[in-house]
Amino acid sequence: MRTSLALALATALSTTTAQVYQGFNYGSVFTDNAPVTQQDYENQFNTARQLQGTSGFTSARLFTTIQAGTTNSPISAIPAAIATNTQLLLGIFLSSTDEAFENEQAALRSAISQYGQAFVDLVIGISVGSEDLYRISPTGIENMSNPGEGPDAVVRRINAVRSTISGTAMSGKPVGHVDTWTAYVNSSNSAVIDACDFIGTDAYPYFQNTQANSIENGESLFFDAYNATVAVSGGKPVWITETGWPVSGPTSNQAVPSLENAQTYWDRVGCRVFGQVPTFWYTLQDSFPNTPSPSFGVVGTTLSTTPLYDLSCPADTSSSSSAEASPESTSLPSRTPDSSSEPAGPAGPEVPTTPSGPATTTPSVAPSIPNTAPTVETVMVYTTITTCPVTYTSGTETMTSMTTSAAVVTSTHGNTLATVTTPPAPPSPSSPAGSCPADLSGDFEFPHLIVPVDQSHPDNAANTGFNGHFSPTISTIFNFDLPYSYAGRTCSLVFLFPQRESLQTSNYTLSGTGGIDVTRLLAPADSATTFNNQPAVNTTVGSVPDLQAGNSYTLGSGICFAGARIGYKVSATGSLDLNYFQDYNPAPIGLYVT
């Protein structure tokens, strides 16, 4: 189904310039590692400008300022851009050595000196680094990405580039960074956002292979990722620096590469952002002379203005393919900004050592679906599972078993809901605390909107956030969008609460004693929800009388509310005060549907 752009997109647009740039990503080498020459770049830029079915592809994003095969000579894309009047988002490659970074700087200084104002006039911004923060994250390390950079190093190098262009004709050009949205919503990286003039975000639903990532869900997966970045951007412009759908390659969970699916993604995502927000598609051509797997090029091995699939935008899309747009004219049909509470999921392909191709990808969230919940009530089962398993050996395999306690909570069709009152069993003494965080195996959904409501400030709308907070005065509402593909399945609502020492990308504060009560609401929340206007309670789901770190809790199980947006409210009991950053990796913490 087709969704519209989120309100967060319109908010971001209000900070952009009057010209909205549109183009492709361009590497410095071909797939056989041969350097891309000036003539090659001119051919590619002219092809992009004349692609059948499109208009306005007059900008180019680069990954490096250095010409391939040289130490620090300016990249040949610069004179090619001057010859073809192509605007440039320059790239400074990081995640290497200090010497390599200084070579990037030297190439930039040489380009300013050599090409002068003709070059400067075409530069729309400078991106210092690409997915460096992602590559040092647990997910990036797991996917064997190239070495990354921490936030302090990225900020230091952003400032170094600003110093380099200060006092030159390039002074005042916006300097930013490109990374995955998962990196941006991690508060430990907030200094990078603060240091940027603009934020470039990369999102590829194709690589979200732990979630329902079929082409039918691609549009909402992308916009949820974009919205999550906007939510933490502090009002700074958020540019789309990489996205696309492969035309060939392996199936990634439910995502199937094909010409048909690539065209669908172009129609539903590209056509809705072209001319609305600066966008750099991945990619024009990535299959010369050899075809990679997966391959994202809109043209094949032979460079041609005839694309592999129809690039003309359907008449019912909200945007045109024009690169000129006024921020005041971006009143698109809006969708409630359902920012994911925690960015999580797999990464994309390994980034090549030479900054020449696609960076890794961003995980996203579930599709946008109707706001009405089905009326069917199901039997709910409350189960408490200790986080740390008892380990034993069977033959040559090490097996694990979970200690559980359970009680049945019946449906509300004429029956009385029973609340479990027995506390969870403590972890086995043989299992060290923090050594075995809860596991989210198989498909799972994390919240797409998290809204705290505060009884002490009953009319205050806290907007979307990334923290769950349960205290004597504060409850938190979580929205989940459950895919239609879940029809006929059994879903469970779980709360995972690992030991603090298990966490690497999250944290929490905990005081007092008590537990949590969880209810399902008659309607989902939105960014304007307050304590006074919050939706009424539909039914009680379950409760945890004594919440203890080191445990995971299954609050309820039943037939999935497939195709619905469901709101759950979590409230504290006793004197409990828990405030945590919802995070799935590497030790999941928070509320999920499995």
Side-chain angles (χ1 to χ4, degrees):
M1 64 188 232
R2 185 172 296 279
T3 60
S4 61
L5 288 175
L7 285 171
L9 178 56
T11 300
L13 289 173
S14 66
T15 63
T16 63
T17 58
Q19 184 166 13
V20 181
Y21 308 105
Q22 180 177 305
F24 292 98
N25 287 263
Y26 296 87
S28 61
V29 297
F30 291 110
T31 55
D32 61 355
N33 286 322
V36 181
T37 67
Q38 177 179 341
Q39 187 60 59
D40 293 326
Y41 280 120
E42 289 186 25
N43 293 341
Q44 292 174 354
F45 295 164
N46 283 326
T47 297
R49 188 181 296 267
Q50 301 168 27
L51 272 176
Q52 294 180 14
T54 74
S55 64
F57 280 87
T58 57
S59 301
R61 179 197 171 211
L62 307 178
F63 293 90
T64 178
T65 58
I66 300 174
Q67 175 62 19
T70 72
T71 300
N72 54 20
S73 298
I75 190 168
S76 294
I78 294 172
I82 295 172
T84 59
N85 194 31
T86 298
Q87 295 155 320
L88 294 175
L89 173 56
L90 298 179
I92 303 290
F93 190 70
L94 301 185
S95 299
S96 188
T97 63
D98 289 340
E99 180 182 3
F101 174 68
E102 288 307 316
N103 285 334
E104 291 277 353
Q105 293 263 72
L108 178 58
R109 285 190 291 267
S110 295
I112 297 172
S113 174
Q114 181 176 351
Y115 298 109
Q117 198 65 42
F119 164 47
V120 171
D121 289 344
L122 293 173
V123 174
I124 61 177
I126 304 173
S127 170
V128 182
S130 180
E131 298 197 349
D132 308 275
L133 300 172
Y134 161 78
R135 290 201 293 273
I136 64 166
S137 71
T139 307
I141 294 171
E142 179 183 349
N143 283 277
M144 297 179 291
S145 300
N146 287 326
E149 297 273 12
D152 291 344
V154 174
V155 169
R156 185 172 65 252
R157 290 180 169 175
I158 288 173
N159 291 333
V161 170
R162 279 207 185 92
S163 178
T164 293
I165 65 175
S166 178
T168 73
M170 195 74 74
S171 180
K173 293 291 185 179
V175 179
H177 176 71
V178 170
D179 226 300
T180 62
W181 67 283
T182 57
Y184 290 125
V185 301
N186 187 333
S187 60
S188 66
N189 295 325
S190 61
V192 174
I193 295 175
D194 294 340
C196 288
D197 298 320
F198 70 91
I199 296 164
T201 189
D202 296 350
Y204 291 91
Y206 166 76
F207 291 112
Q208 178 46 32
N209 56 22
T210 65
Q211 299 295 303
N213 66 334
S214 67
I215 188 60
E216 289 77 15
N217 298 337
E219 178 184 11
S220 56
L221 293 176
F222 170 81
F223 284 116
D224 282 333
Y226 181 86
N227 292 344
T229 308
V230 171
V232 298
S233 68
K236 294 184 177 181
V238 178
W239 297 5
I240 300 164
T241 40
E242 287 183 43
T243 194
W245 193 278
V247 297
S248 64
T251 296
S252 176
N253 189 27
Q254 298 174 4
V256 179
S258 70
L259 294 176
E260 179 183 4
N261 288 346
Q263 180 175 343
T264 296
Y265 190 75
W266 176 280
D267 290 346
R268 296 181 178 180
V269 174
C271 290
R272 301 182 90 72
V273 298
F274 297 149
Q276 306 299 310
V277 63
T279 301
F280 298 88
W281 202 258
Y282 196 84
T283 188
L284 176 68
Q285 182 189 45
D286 63 358
S287 58
F288 178 80
N290 307 310
T291 301
S293 181
S295 173
F296 288 78
V298 300
V299 301
T301 302
T302 301
L303 192 64
S304 170
T305 58
T306 302
L308 295 174
Y309 51 90
D310 186 3
L311 301 182
S312 58
C313 287
D316 63 340
T317 52
S318 299
S319 66
S320 68
S321 289
S322 172
E324 297 289 341
S326 168
E328 291 75 26
S329 65
T330 55
S331 55
L332 304 178
S334 298
R335 162 188 173 197
T336 300
D338 291 342
S339 301
S340 166
S341 62
E342 157 38 29
E350 181 178 353
V351 179
T353 301
T354 303
S356 60
T360 51
T361 64
T362 63
S364 300
V365 291
S368 168
I369 45 191
N371 290 334
T372 55
T375 57
V376 63
E377 293 289 345
T378 60
V379 174
M380 306 298 290
V381 180
Y382 172 93
T383 306
T384 299
I385 306 177
T386 59
T387 300
C388 294
V390 178
T391 303
Y392 63 95
T393 301
S394 175
T396 60
E397 294 184 327
T398 298
M399 310 294 289
T400 61
S401 64
M402 291 290 193
T403 304
T404 65
S405 61
V408 173
V409 183
T410 62
S411 75
T412 57
H413 279 296
N415 298 316
T416 302
L417 277 170
T419 302
V420 175
T421 57
T422 55
S428 168
S430 63
S431 300
S435 64
C436 44
D439 177 34
L440 287 174
S441 58
D443 289 342
F444 65 90
E445 295 294 319
F446 45 86
H448 304 159
L449 180 131
I450 300 179
V451 176
V453 291
D454 188 349
Q455 184 176 1
S456 63
H457 298 88
D459 294 315
N460 179 54
N463 211 318
T464 60
F466 304 101
N467 281 41
H469 192 182
F470 322 135
S471 78
T473 62
I474 298 175
S475 301
T476 300
I477 300 174
F478 301 80
N479 282 2
F480 289 88
D481 292 336
L482 302 184
Y484 289 104
S485 59
Y486 278 23
R489 293 169 53 172
T490 297
C491 285
S492 297
L493 185 69
V494 302
F495 187 78
L496 309 180
F497 190 29
Q499 299 283 357
R500 185 180 283 106
E501 54 264 37
S502 300
L503 301 172
Q504 296 182 29
T505 58
S506 182
N507 203 351
Y508 62 81
T509 59
L510 175 65
S511 63
T513 60
I516 56 174
D517 287 334
V518 183
T519 56
R520 179 160 56 83
L521 304 179
L522 286 172
D526 59 35
S527 60
T529 296
T530 68
F531 180 85
N532 277 343
N533 68 15
Q534 63 182 303
V537 171
N538 183 321
T539 187
T540 298
V541 177
S543 64
V544 178
D546 184 19
L547 190 70
Q548 297 289 332
N551 292 325
S552 62
Y553 303 91
T554 301
L555 299 158
S557 297
I559 296 173
C560 296
F561 295 128
R565 177 172 296 156
I566 306 295
Y568 293 102
K569 179 181 174 181
V570 182
S571 303
T573 63
S575 62
L576 180 82
D577 191 331
L578 172 64
N579 191 344
Y580 68 91
F581 180 79
Q582 175 101 7
D583 193 358
Y584 115 103
N585 187 37
I589 180 172
L591 196 69
Y592 300 86
V593 171
T594 63

